[in-house]
Amino acid sequence: MLSLAESMDALRTIASSKAVATLAAAFSEQGHEFALVGGPVRDALLGRAVTDLDFTTSARPDETAAILKGITKNVWDVGRDFGTIAAKVHGETVEITTYRAEIYRDDSRKPEVSYGDTIEGDLVRRDFTINALALMLPELKLVDVSGGVEDLLAGTIRTPGSPATSFTDDPLRMMRAARFAVQLGFEVAPDTQGAMVEFAERLDIISAERIRDEFVKLLSTDDPVPGIRLLVDTGLADRFLPELTELLTTQDDHGRHKDVYEHSLTVLRQAIEMELVRRDPETTEADIVLRLAALLHDIGKPATRRFEAGGVTFHHHDVVGAKLAKKRLRELRFDNDAVKRVARLIELHLRFFGYSDQQWSDSAVRRYVRDAGGELEQLHILTRADVTTRNKRKAERLEHAYDDIEQRIAELSEAEELAAVRPELDGAQIMELLQIPPGPLVGRAYKYLLEVRLDEGPIGEEAAEERLRAWFAEQGDN
């Protein structure tokens, strides 16, 4: 954290910006209190970059909208029912929320909102003390009603009041505790963590979409593993991702196989490290598909574990895991494309390990690329990250083998345009050549030519026509 003088300088810099100064003056002229609140104040005090500007005011939403329309044409509702109006002022996007208090009833998935009259009352209802900070504008008065500055100094995540009350009011705050702990490198206070255990079941009233969004925020951090551990240890993960906590059941005190839970966290961490190295410099967003696949790649193991002579097996855990992941991610309302891609990566994550035992033919390499599709680069990362063995010689052998397969893919891609593997003839050409109408036979013919392409590489259109005629002649009346 910055020194007091440095912190105040950082806050003054924000307050003096054209957008903030304009807003503060406009609300003050109408007789309303106005303050920068929450994350921007926290981050300024910590010396972190301030990217979002959130404000609170004594003005009601209609009054806020009227004031904003007096200084900008770009005004819109973010959540008027929750008291929030957004605007673009001098190039800055801002959100302004009326002082409020909200509470979740026992059977409610949405908070009931009532408006407050004081900044102190607004701050007390916020999630954590480090976010219950406000800078009153334009007077530059820092308001801290619950010891947020002290908790910033101590690196502590704590609720402003009773954690039981806070988590009962908004159960999603329990997941946010894990995220903030990771983002800031803080520790969750013991009583706060204890309440997360006690009220974990309360998370069930929160909508799947809100849980998904909060989990994605956690996964998007540079190292989400400590936060994931906290979610598992408190029982929160079991409420929305039980397949993850189920991995704990595969821990083996007799040393017959590695700890699948710890292995999965290691794979996630290694995948993120590789993602950050390989990521396009212009890309700033985390690869959530890759991270989900890394975390969940072994969730099929508990259901497939079998103790056999000589050890333990997890036959087909890749296929089972892909099905489990697809079902769970759909329940969490991930979009269909993301669900499909995560499942594909999980299903393919073991494919490479046969290559390390016996080098593949060109045909096998083509199929590997074909099956990976648009997730080939992510599959490269996931497969490399899945190597967590402590046997240095084995790790080096696997690394060299994967270096080799990536090199072969690059060489074949350059020679054959491997990323767009398709037969020399398309459906229309097949129908014209064979004089057949649209139907299943066209699909079978196309599939036959694709297999030829995968097995032999490009053979040219003329040779493809000859092979197709020969194949068609063998089909008889089918």
Side-chain angles (χ1 to χ4, degrees):
M1 183 170 169
L2 301 176
S3 68
L4 179 59
E6 291 172 327
S7 296
M8 291 309 298
D9 283 344
L11 290 172
R12 286 191 190 95
T13 298
I14 296 173
S16 64
S17 71
K18 192 172 184 180
V20 177
T22 299
L23 285 165
F27 278 83
S28 178
E29 288 172 4
Q30 296 300 315
H32 293 293
E33 292 182 354
F34 184 76
L36 182 70
V37 69
V41 180
R42 177 199 68 220
D43 289 341
L45 293 174
L46 289 173
R48 292 162 54 93
V50 175
T51 55
D52 298 311
L53 294 177
D54 296 325
F55 299 93
T56 187
T57 179
S58 58
R60 296 305 191 247
D62 288 343
E63 295 172 316
T64 295
I67 293 170
L68 290 172
K69 288 175 182 177
I71 58 177
T72 179
K73 295 180 180 179
N74 297 316
V75 180
W76 64 94
D77 286 359
V78 172
R80 183 179 289 265
D81 290 343
F82 297 95
T84 303
I85 307 295
K88 196 159 192 175
V89 181
H90 296 303
E92 293 279 1
T93 299
V94 300
E95 291 188 1
I96 303 167
T97 302
T98 299
Y99 294 161
R100 65 187 185 184
E102 62 187 34
I103 186 170
Y104 279 78
R105 301 302 177 190
D106 288 343
D107 60 349
S108 173
R109 287 178 176 267
K110 295 182 179 180
E112 298 178 11
V113 178
S114 60
Y115 299 129
D117 298 314
T118 67
I119 184 64
E120 291 81 8
D122 179 88
L123 294 178
V124 166
R125 56 149 289 277
R126 290 181 178 263
D127 53 4
F128 305 109
T129 60
I130 60 172
N131 296 327
L133 298 167
L135 181 69
M136 303 301 295
L137 300 169
E139 56 266 43
L140 292 178
K141 174 188 174 184
L142 183 64
V143 182
D144 176 9
V145 298
S146 54
V149 173
E150 288 81 357
D151 285 338
L152 284 177
L153 289 168
T156 300
I157 306 292
R158 184 170 59 85
T159 58
S162 161
T165 300
S166 180
F167 296 157
T168 298
D169 285 353
D170 185 353
L172 195 66
R173 290 171 175 172
M174 295 183 285
M175 289 186 67
R176 285 204 291 267
R179 171 167 60 92
F180 283 125
V182 167
Q183 285 180 331
L184 303 176
F186 285 12
E187 296 289 334
V188 178
D191 65 331
T192 301
Q193 187 166 335
M196 292 167 68
V197 175
E198 182 178 356
F199 294 96
E201 291 185 4
R202 183 77 173 150
L203 193 65
D204 294 349
I205 72 165
I206 301 298
S207 69
E209 291 84 357
R210 293 188 70 212
I211 291 174
R212 174 203 63 206
D213 291 346
E214 190 58 45
F215 188 53
V216 166
K217 290 177 183 178
L218 171 61
L219 278 180
S220 298
T221 62
D222 287 346
D223 183 13
V225 169
I228 292 171
R229 287 190 189 280
L230 184 58
L231 293 179
V232 171
D233 292 346
T234 56
L236 285 164
D238 200 43
R239 312 312 305 180
F240 69 94
L241 195 57
E243 293 81 6
L244 179 60
T245 57
E246 185 70 13
L247 294 179
L248 293 170
T249 67
T250 63
Q251 291 177 341
D252 182 10
D253 295 335
H254 302 288
R256 287 167 290 186
H257 62 81
K258 69 179 70 176
D259 184 324
V260 181
Y261 173 66
E262 290 298 331
H263 165 75
S264 297
L265 295 182
T266 299
V267 172
L268 172 61
R269 186 170 266 155
Q270 292 184 165
I272 291 173
E273 291 173 355
M274 294 181 202
E275 173 200 336
L276 296 176
V277 170
R278 290 185 175 220
R279 180 188 291 175
D280 185 324
E282 296 183 1
T283 301
T284 57
E285 293 185 0
D287 189 337
I288 296 301
V289 166
L290 170 65
R291 297 182 185 204
L292 284 169
L295 180 63
L296 304 179
H297 77 284
D298 274 349
I299 60 172
K301 281 191 171 181
T304 59
R305 184 173 66 163
R306 301 289 184 272
F307 293 106
E308 301 176 354
V312 63
T313 64
F314 301 98
H315 293 312
H316 307 302
H317 77 268
D318 46 347
V319 176
V320 172
K323 291 179 180 178
L324 289 172
K326 188 178 294 185
K327 180 176 183 293
R328 180 58 56 191
L329 295 179
R330 282 175 176 163
E331 290 180 357
L332 285 171
R333 304 294 190 269
F334 279 89
D335 66 82
N336 290 334
D337 181 63
V339 172
K340 180 180 177 181
R341 294 168 64 202
V342 171
R344 178 186 292 138
L345 287 169
I346 292 174
E347 188 169 357
L348 293 176
H349 83 272
L350 291 181
R351 180 80 67 86
F352 155 74
F353 291 96
Y355 183 91
S356 64
D357 298 326
Q358 182 177 359
Q359 193 175 67
W360 289 348
S361 64
D362 285 352
S363 173
V365 174
R366 293 187 191 103
R367 282 181 166 79
Y368 187 71
V369 174
R370 187 269 311 270
D371 292 345
E375 283 66 64
L376 181 61
E377 177 63 21
Q378 292 160 312
L379 185 58
H380 288 332
I381 294 174
L382 177 58
T383 303
R384 288 182 180 274
D386 198 21
V387 178
T388 62
T389 177
R390 296 179 181 177
N391 184 321
K392 186 176 180 181
R393 180 174 295 181
K394 181 179 179 181
E396 289 178 347
R397 177 173 61 82
L398 290 170
E399 182 179 1
H400 292 324
Y402 211 85
D403 287 343
D404 182 65
I405 195 174
E406 285 204 68
Q407 179 63 31
R408 289 185 63 197
I409 288 172
E411 291 171 353
L412 282 171
S413 294
E414 183 176 356
E416 304 178 9
E417 296 185 4
L418 201 56
V421 170
R422 55 178 59 88
E424 278 83 358
L425 305 178
D426 61 23
Q429 291 171 303
I430 290 171
M431 289 187 289
E432 181 180 358
L433 181 69
L434 301 181
Q435 292 298 295
I436 58 176
L441 184 57
V442 178
R444 297 209 310 272
Y446 185 90
K447 184 177 180 180
Y448 165 73
L449 290 177
L450 179 59
E451 291 299 317
V452 172
R453 172 71 171 82
L454 290 169
D455 285 337
E456 303 176 29
I459 62 173
E461 188 171 321
E462 184 176 341
E465 290 177 356
E466 293 178 5
R467 298 285 284 273
L468 181 60
R469 288 192 181 95
W471 172 85
F472 185 60
E474 296 173 357
Q475 302 309 299
D477 295 333
N478 296 326

